[in-house]
Amino acid sequence: MQMAKYLKSMVILGALSGYGYSTPAAAETVNCTNITSVPTVITTQGVYCLKQHVSAALASGAAITVNTNNVTIDCNEFKVGNLAAGPGTNAVGILATARQNVNVRNCGIRGYRTGIQMLDGSYRVEDNVLDFNTQTAIHVSGAGSAIRGNEIVDTGNTGLPGVTTFHGIFGEGDVDVIDNLIDGVVASGGSNGTAYGIRTDDMNGGTVKGNRVRNLARDGTGARRGIWNESGVRNTFEANTVVMDAGGLLGADAGIRCGGSSLILNGALRDNTILGTGVLGEVFGLINCTSIQGNFVNPL
């Protein structure tokens, strides 16, 4: 009887052990073309990846340029670095213009003027970590594009003259901006610059949802704008959290602005939280928006 119990236990432990070994610790893209150095230009459709960190010291140009459609770049949590170029860099981390079905995911992008810049096409920018980029972390334009699940930390402080706007995320056109963290956008000293957590423009029927924005710092006569829709109508702003601090909001600041005029169709809000407006700045917590339910603005 004891031997039978022992054998049964060994069978169960063996099965559990086999199950554990068969479960991967993390998903990884391995069937891909490895990008081994930068700068590089992609001209053939397919799946590209990093299997190691890559870095450069680019004063201009782009580390990775996508010059074709139907491309996926998966960095497998590796870094595309450019800190060695310093705050005066004018370079871009990953660049695409007028391309369709281009996806960038799982990348660490560090030390560029713009971390990811993908314009006038159809793009997905997902699950990346961008830090120490000196003006804008992510800039995407093109109907049907999406910016989702990215972590953006310590953007700003460019050494280039004449720069007055700084962005965690800048979306143009009908771009959805969902579940991103923006922590720290700082206008350069002496710039009179404005710090945007999320800025959208010409967005119609878009969604800005589940984002967290905090630690924005203007310079001089600039402003702090948590989520700012420059123009567009019929947009939805849902379950975002914006934390404003250091003296509350002033006349040019905003927690969330739905659009450039007071039309109801500029945007509908649901379940957003704006903190730290200051008693005198509560009116700037939500601007040109129609509140449906659950929105909370607190001066503290």
Side-chain angles (χ1 to χ4, degrees), residues 24 61 221 228 248 289:
T221 58
W228 180 275
C289 302

Side-chain angles (χ1 to χ4, degrees), residues 164-169 182 185 193-200 213-218 221-230 242-244 249-257 284-285 287:
T164 59
T165 57
F166 301 81
H167 314 89
I169 292 173
I182 298 95
V185 179
T194 294
Y196 296 86
I198 297 170
R199 180 183 180 185
T200 58
V213 176
R214 56 183 179 249
N215 293 322
L216 306 179
R218 62 178 175 251
T221 58
R224 292 170 299 146
R225 294 169 174 172
I227 299 174
W228 180 275
N229 185 27
E230 197 81 28
V242 177
V243 180
M244 312 297 285
L249 299 182
L250 302 176
D253 296 338
I256 297 177
R257 183 174 103 152
F284 303 118
I287 299 175

